[in-house]
């Protein structure tokens, strides 16, 4: 079956512009996560959705970052007034949260490589 | 704050065994994950530990000691395709918002 997909795969933008990154999770997965991976750094948690609500926004680095999820499916991560330090690979993951499960495996998409000039 | 330490790079020979260590100091703990990430690709799940002890899955095993804040990933019968980064991550709250280490880049040589 289809995995997690993200678009665009690459995005080059100028400092100060807004960008939107899209994530299509695996069909039926109720949980969706956004991470950021900078060069030489580990994955940095940004935000988590359960259904359409985001119980944990603690990882968003600034108020320039926002995310939404509609219909319990597609999510968009928006970065306003981009800065050079926003350059990174943005990864999305989804999981099927099962009641009583010991753990919920996250399935990652291929990421969007964002370059801010 | 949260902290996970892993060696940055390791090199091992094809057919050998390698152990990748991970130590963590986190405010919460609801399990520890290991992910594999080939260059330019998405991370893929390898293992999960929440109880102390060893979990074996084919050529890969993962160990956890909660009292020591320590885990390791053991790879046996190394193959060239095992060259990748190996990411240690802690589930801080049980909601699966994972805190990741910076990863260990493993290079397998002939």
């Amino acid at each position: 079956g289809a995995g997690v997909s993200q678009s665009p795969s690459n995005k080059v933008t100028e400092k100060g512009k807004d960008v939107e990154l899209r994530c299509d999770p695996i069909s039926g997965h109720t949980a969706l996560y956004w991470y950021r991976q900078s060069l030489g750094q580990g994955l940095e948690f940004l935000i988590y959705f359960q259904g359409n609500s985001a119980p944990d926004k603690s990882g968003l680095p600034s108020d320039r970052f926002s995310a939404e999820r509609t219909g319990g499916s597609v999510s968009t991560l928006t970065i306003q007034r981009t800065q050079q330090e926003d350059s990174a690979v943005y990864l999305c993951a989804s999981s099927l949260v099962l009641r009583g499960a010991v753990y919920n495996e996250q399935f990652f998409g291929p990421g969007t490589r964002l370059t801010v000039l | 704050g949260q902290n996970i330490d892993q060696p940055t790079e390791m090199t091992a020979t094809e057919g050998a065994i390698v152990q990748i260590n991970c130590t963590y100091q986190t405010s919460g703990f609801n399990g520890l994950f290991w992910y594999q990430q080939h260059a330019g690709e998405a991370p893929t799940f390898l293992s999960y530990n929440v109880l102390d002890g060893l979990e074996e899955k084919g050529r890969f095993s993962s160990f956890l000691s909660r009292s020591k804040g320590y885990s390791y990933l053991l790879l046996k019968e190394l193959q060239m395709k095992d060259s990748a980064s190996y990411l240690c991550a802690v589930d801080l709250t049980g909601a699966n918002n994972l805190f990741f280490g910076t990863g260990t880049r493993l290079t397998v040589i002939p």
Side-chain angles (χ1 to χ4, degrees):
Chain A
V4 178
S5 61
Q6 294 185 244
S7 60
S9 55
N10 278 286
K11 176 70 176 178
V12 180
T13 190
E14 293 180 348
K15 177 181 172 181
K17 296 285 180 68
D18 298 350
V19 296
E20 278 193 0
L21 312 180
R22 177 186 168 109
C23 172
D24 283 86
I26 294 173
S27 178
H29 279 195
T30 54
L32 186 147
Y33 311 82
W34 283 99
Y35 295 88
R36 176 169 71 173
Q37 188 171 32
S38 303
L39 191 63
Q41 302 295 315
L43 274 72
E44 175 189 3
F45 169 79
L46 297 178
I47 189 170
Y48 149 67
F49 287 92
Q50 178 58 42
N52 292 334
S53 64
D56 190 347
K57 302 180 182 179
S58 62
L60 294 176
S62 76
D63 58 8
R64 296 187 295 105
F65 287 71
S66 62
E68 65 175 12
R69 189 180 186 197
T70 54
S73 181
V74 172
S75 175
T76 52
L77 177 70
T78 302
I79 309 173
Q80 296 178 309
R81 305 181 302 282
T82 52
Q83 303 294 313
Q84 289 183 333
E85 60 262 28
D86 299 334
S87 296
V89 176
Y90 289 81
L91 288 161
C92 173
S94 70
S95 68
L96 180 62
V97 179
L98 297 174
R99 186 186 299 273
V102 176
Y103 67 90
N104 298 293
E105 178 182 346
Q106 294 186 23
F107 295 82
F108 283 83
T112 294
R113 181 175 297 279
L114 174 66
T115 303
V116 182
L117 301 177
Chain B
Q2 324 291 353
N3 189 58
I4 292 180
D5 286 315
Q6 304 178 236
T8 304
E9 294 190 18
M10 298 183 71
T11 302
T13 305
E14 191 176 14
I17 299 173
V18 70
Q19 178 174 310
I20 302 175
N21 295 324
C22 168
T23 57
Y24 62 91
Q25 302 89 35
T26 57
S27 58
F29 183 86
N30 288 271
L32 186 144
F33 291 79
W34 283 95
Y35 277 81
Q36 180 191 60
Q37 186 178 26
H38 285 98
E41 298 183 10
T44 54
F45 169 83
L46 288 178
S47 68
Y48 172 81
N49 295 69
V50 68
L51 300 176
D52 288 355
L54 188 69
E55 295 280 344
E56 298 188 72
K57 189 186 294 186
R59 293 189 300 114
F60 292 9
S61 303
S62 57
F63 172 84
L64 176 68
S65 168
R66 294 186 62 166
S67 61
K68 296 182 179 178
Y70 168 67
S71 173
Y72 67 73
L73 181 69
L74 192 71
L75 292 75
K76 303 176 185 176
E77 301 168 14
L78 280 173
Q79 302 176 9
M80 299 300 290
K81 67 178 182 180
D82 296 331
S83 292
S85 287
Y86 291 85
L87 312 178
C88 174
V90 170
D91 183 353
L92 298 176
T93 66
N96 278 250
N97 53 328
L98 302 181
F99 181 78
F100 280 85
T102 54
T104 298
R105 186 164 61 193
L106 174 68
T107 302
V108 180
I109 58 176

